[in-house]
Amino acid sequence: MKRNLEELDRIARTLRARTIETSHRTATPHLGSCLSCVDILTALYFQVLNIDPARPSHPDRDRFILSKGHGAPALFQVLAMRGFYPETTLENFGEDGSYFGEHPPTPPHVPGVEAATGSLGHGLSMGIGMALSARILSRSHRVFALLSDGECNEGAVWEAAMFAAAQKLDRLAIVVDFNKWQATDRSENVMALSPLVDKWRAFGWSACEVDGHDLEALIEVLSRVPDDSGRPVAVIASTVKGKGVSFMEDDNNWHYRIPTASEVLSAKNELRVPA
Amino acid sequence: VRNAFADEVTKLACEDQRVVLLSGDIGNNLFEKFKLSSKGRFFNCGVAEANMMGVAAGLALNGLRPIVYTITPFTTTRCLEQIRDDVCYHRAPVMIVGTGAGLSYAELGPTHHSCEDIAIMRSLPGMTVLCPCDSLEIRLMLRQSLLHDGPIYMRIGKKGEPAVHDTAPALKIGQSITVRKGTDVCVLSTGNVMPMVLEAADTLEKEGISVRVESFHTVKPLDTKRLNEVFRRYRIVGAVEEHNQIGGFASAIAEWAMAQEGLLGRLMGFSLADRFLHEIGSQIYARERLGLSAQVLVDGIRRRHNAL
């Protein structure tokens, strides 16, 4: 299903608005981290991934793992809009007994969720296992994992990076949501992440940099998986934490802050989404 | 037992195309046959156990049956969060094998000892914990594990351990095996301490104390049917393990006995002292230094028996 960029932009704006609204309604944090990856999720789910929401367990589906599990509030909105479940299902978000919370639950509690994450640095290794299984079972599906830059502090990420490269898993790709912040500081102040693209390249990956809010560029680079390098692909997506709402952009207070009712209205206004 | 493990895994992988073997850069020359007979299903994951465990979970979630193999501390505590989140939380059918468990690697020092793995592994929801006492039990357990739809942890020794069973016992995961019959005392033994338990039973037998011995190879889930029978029949029940006295097999039995009326007092735990052993030595030496030997069993049981 091909959609034009204008339609994808509308989808991304709507997803942002719904995520902000849900954060307000349910007092769910990590809004800044959710907003920075909305365009990446939109490109993947509405254009790149070979998936069928009516058959979420099809063995040949592309796998997507939200390794930065705290982006789940955004992912849940994406899955609903993509048709994995009705949007009304999300009404119980955050309530006692709901599967919709701050992190993705284990499959198959929410259709479309491939792995439960939350503790950082787990998703890539699980994705490698899925990519290896495709090779062993002679299946051609691809595996995508979305990591945060703070997540790249974890040593396990680099164990996984070296192993995937040694196995030449060219049907595996990661996107790093490189918003330059982690929970309490600029990511560069905490760990020497830069030069991040060069690091992934040095670890044996086919690495490139892209504007993580340029849907056309994201689609182009992610659609090239596998590229012709024979290596796993690392897309370092340069993003802005809190993207799309002027008073949230690049303000790390929104890692934990919950928007007020009037802030939700202002945000929707900026996003050109009806109140 | 290491060779028996490698041999049985090699056979199983030929029979079941879902079997994938992951090794943490150990087992030099141990898996050559596996690599030849099951091409593309052996992975040396390097000295990177956290990644190895996550990879195993991913393989299992896509329908395969990964077996993860390395030295016990590295396949348990080194990557505990991956076991908890990626394997157990997802109920992924991964078989985790710890070789050189307990004090098997006494001469390598405490970095290579594992006397807390039973406690830690059995506290994870959904985890099955297996402690085979010899090569035959390992082979039978491996075979049965493929029928089990959830995570399994199996702690095994290294090499050269004596056989306990002359012929293949009727082994079922979760069901204790009676190794020797006896009428006065029952000793429940888990894992590699069985030869020591049998030695103690021989000595006690000569003194006129008749000892029944059970191979309690499954620590989780406990064979509560057998526990009910044994605890109601014997006034002295020993639980023996090469593991820290905190949280292991004896603790598991105590947890069960606590919930029964008047049975806890029949239990005697024989485990290791809660401390690191800084001195190097043989496995038997290390055991003794940490308070476990055939003599300790004999003395303890005799004292309790004579006081009845």
Side-chain angles (χ1 to χ4, degrees), chain A:
Chain A
M1 192 184 340
K2 292 288 167 204
R3 290 181 174 81
N4 63 38
L5 284 171
E6 204 176 313
E7 194 186 350
L8 289 174
D9 175 67
R10 186 187 52 75
I11 287 171
R13 281 187 287 109
T14 309
L15 287 167
R16 284 193 162 88
R18 289 182 182 176
T19 307
I20 292 166
E21 232 171 10
T22 306
S23 169
H24 165 70
R25 181 169 60 82
T26 64
T28 302
H30 300 135
L31 195 44
S33 316
C34 287
L35 295 178
S36 75
C37 68
V38 163
D39 297 310
I40 298 163
L41 293 173
T42 302
L44 281 166
Y45 274 91
F46 289 87
Q47 214 65 68
V48 176
L49 294 176
N50 177 28
I51 44 168
D52 178 0
R55 294 184 298 171
S57 305
H58 195 287
D60 289 324
R61 71 194 184 280
D62 283 344
R63 282 16 174 215
F64 172 78
I65 297 176
L66 183 70
S67 195
K68 50 168 281 184
H70 56 294
L75 177 66
F76 293 148
Q77 298 294 344
V78 172
L79 292 172
M81 200 182 285
R82 188 66 175 81
F84 280 89
Y85 39 82
E87 274 149 25
T88 51
T89 314
L90 284 166
E91 282 168 9
N92 74 351
F93 191 113
E95 287 178 8
D96 289 350
S98 172
Y99 292 116
F100 299 106
E102 291 188 33
H103 297 118
T106 54
H109 291 101
V110 169
V113 171
E114 299 284 356
T117 49
S119 176
L120 297 172
H122 288 245
L124 179 52
S125 297
M126 294 176 82
I128 291 172
M130 293 177 185
L132 276 180
S133 77
R135 180 181 287 176
I136 292 167
L137 298 167
S138 304
R139 294 193 179 278
S140 59
H141 68 75
R142 300 171 297 173
V143 180
F144 294 82
L146 177 59
L147 283 67
S148 69
D149 47 352
E151 181 171 11
C152 293
N153 293 5
E154 290 284 359
V157 168
W158 301 101
E159 292 184 8
M162 287 187 280
F163 185 65
Q167 292 294 330
K168 301 182 174 58
L169 289 173
D170 60 349
R171 307 187 80 78
L172 170 73
I174 60 153
V175 181
V176 179
D177 177 4
F178 194 9
N179 63 28
K180 326 291 187 301
W181 283 107
Q182 48 197 82
T184 62
D185 203 350
R186 283 279 178 202
S187 46
E188 193 59 33
N189 290 344
V190 183
M191 294 272 184
L193 274 181
S194 295
L196 195 53
V197 184
D198 291 344
K199 274 204 178 69
W200 283 94
R201 204 167 280 145
F203 275 70
W205 289 55
S206 175
C208 65
E209 210 164 0
V210 69
D211 176 348
H213 301 303
D214 182 339
L215 286 163
E216 191 175 15
L218 282 166
I219 290 164
E220 199 217 316
V221 72
L222 291 168
S223 298
R224 281 205 306 254
V225 177
D227 64 17
D228 53 9
S229 68
R231 296 172 177 193
V233 174
V235 176
I236 311 305
S238 190
T239 56
V240 175
K241 202 160 178 175
K243 175 72 179 178
V245 180
S246 59
F247 57 89
M248 294 182 184
E249 285 191 2
D250 208 34
D251 176 358
N252 207 35
N253 287 312
W254 290 97
H255 194 77
Y256 294 117
R257 250 201 80 180
I258 308 298
T260 63
S262 71
E263 283 170 336
V264 173
L265 280 177
S266 312
K268 281 179 145 183
N269 190 36
E270 284 192 27
L271 290 163
R272 289 174 283 132
V273 172

Side-chain angles (χ1 to χ4, degrees), chain B residues 14-34:
Chain B
C14 291
E15 295 166 22
D16 188 336
Q17 302 296 309
R18 299 174 307 161
V19 174
V20 179
L21 183 58
L22 308 179
S23 158
D25 204 31
I26 67 157
N28 201 19
N29 293 328
L30 196 57
F31 301 120
E32 295 311 311
K33 281 185 188 160
F34 185 107

